[in-house]
Amino acid sequence: MTLLSSHLMLFSAVHRRPPPTFFPRCNPSTSQTVLFFCSPVLPPVRLGQRLRRLVAAAAAEDLLHNAGATVAVLGGAFTLVRGFDELTRRNILNQGLSRKLVHILSGLLFLVSWPLFSNSPKARYFAAFVPLINCFRLLVNGLSLASDEGLIQSVTREGDPLELLRGPLYYVVVLMLCALMFWRESPVGVVSLAMMCGGDGIADIIGRRYGHTKIPYNKKKSWAGSMSMFCFGFLISIGMLYYYSVLGHVQLDWASTVPKIAFISFVATLVESLPITEVVDDNISVPLSTMALAFFTFHN
């Protein structure tokens, strides 16, 4: 071997370098397929964990939705009563008319507000919380544990706190029961509240103003009041059912529904006209008879 060739071999041995590595080496013994770009292996997230996270997120979103709707409806109910109290205080409305308008609007607006809540089965409990709060208010003020003059003046006839424990208390209990028992998927609760709030409420207003001709078997009721209850109860029931059918909560055959509502309105009007007010309040007799008849009619 010449001297020149020995020097060349020594130079190549000294300066020989391994090929550059741009990416970490992959272990070919693993079960992974051939990777061109290897990256750190992250711990896998189990499918069950992902599902639990999604369910928890959906539950939290549903809770916020229903809680927000509850607060909004509570605020609307409080504003309604306060507004009519202010109108009464300024002598813009007399106490009797103010009381009946609260009777009509608070229940119907509560009924209209049901679609604000989510489609969860628990949504009805959030909606029922609104009349439950009003039930506690009536109990506290009716038992004179507190004194809310605006509430008393808006929903009582004579300004006596004990009146809160009768008609107004029955009223909010019926609102709560309709939300819990029937909710949006049943026409029974819708018709019951329409007859109690709209039909009965308007009957009292019309009857006091135009009820000169009394019903033979009840001198406290008039033909004008009973006719207005039948007409407005029927129209409001149809309107509310149409509202819920448009939103997709109920599916109805209108050819059979209209005669059913007319029959239910007639029976509810007859019950309201009976001389039993001293024994059973209208806020009990009218909605309960309507519930029973509507349940039998729509489920048979």
Side-chain angles (χ1 to χ4, degrees):
M1 181 181 297
T2 63
L3 182 61
L4 179 59
S5 61
S6 63
H7 280 288
L8 289 175
M9 292 177 63
L10 178 63
F11 179 81
S12 61
V14 171
H15 292 279
R16 185 182 299 118
R17 296 177 181 174
T21 56
F22 297 99
F23 305 100
R25 295 178 180 273
C26 299
N27 186 4
S29 63
T30 61
S31 60
Q32 299 176 353
T33 56
V34 177
L35 299 178
F36 292 98
F37 299 96
C38 294
S39 59
V41 178
L42 298 176
V45 178
R46 296 179 181 274
L47 180 60
Q49 293 177 343
R50 292 183 178 180
L51 290 177
R52 284 194 294 270
R53 291 175 185 175
L54 291 175
V55 169
E61 183 180 358
D62 186 74
L63 176 63
L64 290 175
H65 181 159
N66 289 316
T70 303
V71 171
V73 177
L74 273 173
F78 180 80
T79 302
L80 178 71
V81 174
R82 285 300 180 188
F84 279 100
D85 172 50
E86 186 65 20
L87 294 175
T88 303
R89 190 180 64 82
R90 295 184 180 186
N91 294 322
I92 298 175
L93 291 176
N94 63 61
Q95 185 176 352
L97 180 59
S98 175
R99 181 180 65 85
K100 274 303 171 182
L101 290 176
V102 170
H103 175 99
I104 295 168
L105 295 177
S106 59
L108 294 182
L109 291 177
F110 176 62
L111 184 58
V112 169
S113 73
W114 287 359
L116 294 178
F117 295 87
S118 72
N119 293 324
S120 167
K122 298 179 181 179
R124 67 181 66 200
Y125 301 106
F126 287 88
F129 184 73
V130 176
L132 179 63
I133 291 295
N134 289 321
C135 182
F136 285 136
R137 289 181 64 201
L138 294 173
L139 287 172
V140 168
N141 287 275
L143 296 173
S144 298
L145 301 177
S147 181
D148 187 341
E149 291 299 327
L151 177 66
I152 294 172
Q153 294 298 321
S154 298
V155 300
T156 62
R157 294 177 185 269
E158 305 296 334
D160 183 2
L162 289 176
E163 290 185 49
L164 299 175
L165 303 179
R166 294 191 288 270
L169 182 61
Y170 306 148
Y171 180 89
V172 297
V173 169
V174 169
L175 294 182
M176 186 165 52
L177 288 177
C178 284
L180 291 175
M181 294 175 61
F182 302 109
W183 197 223
R184 299 179 300 215
E185 292 77 16
S186 172
V188 176
V190 175
V191 176
S192 300
L193 293 186
M195 291 304 303
M196 181 186 72
C197 303
D200 186 32
I202 293 176
D204 187 77
I205 295 175
I206 300 298
R208 290 179 183 276
R209 184 176 293 270
Y210 304 106
H212 305 296
T213 305
K214 304 299 181 180
I215 297 177
Y217 54 85
N218 188 357
K219 298 301 181 181
K220 293 183 179 180
K221 304 290 183 178
S222 65
W223 286 109
S226 293
M227 291 175 64
S228 64
M229 177 174 178
F230 172 78
C231 294
F232 283 96
F234 171 78
L235 293 175
I236 293 173
S237 297
I238 292 293
M240 286 296 177
L241 289 177
Y242 181 75
Y243 168 68
Y244 277 96
S245 67
V246 168
L247 295 178
H249 295 298
V250 293
Q251 301 294 327
L252 298 170
D253 176 18
W254 289 102
S256 62
T257 297
V258 172
K260 290 177 182 178
I261 298 300
F263 177 65
I264 293 169
S265 300
F266 174 77
V267 174
T269 300
L270 180 62
V271 171
E272 193 271 342
S273 70
L274 296 176
I276 57 174
T277 305
E278 300 299 328
V279 180
V280 182
D281 191 273
D282 287 347
N283 289 336
I284 296 178
S285 60
V286 171
L288 289 186
S289 60
T290 305
M291 283 182 199
L293 186 59
F295 184 85
F296 176 79
T297 303
F298 281 100
H299 290 274
N300 290 276

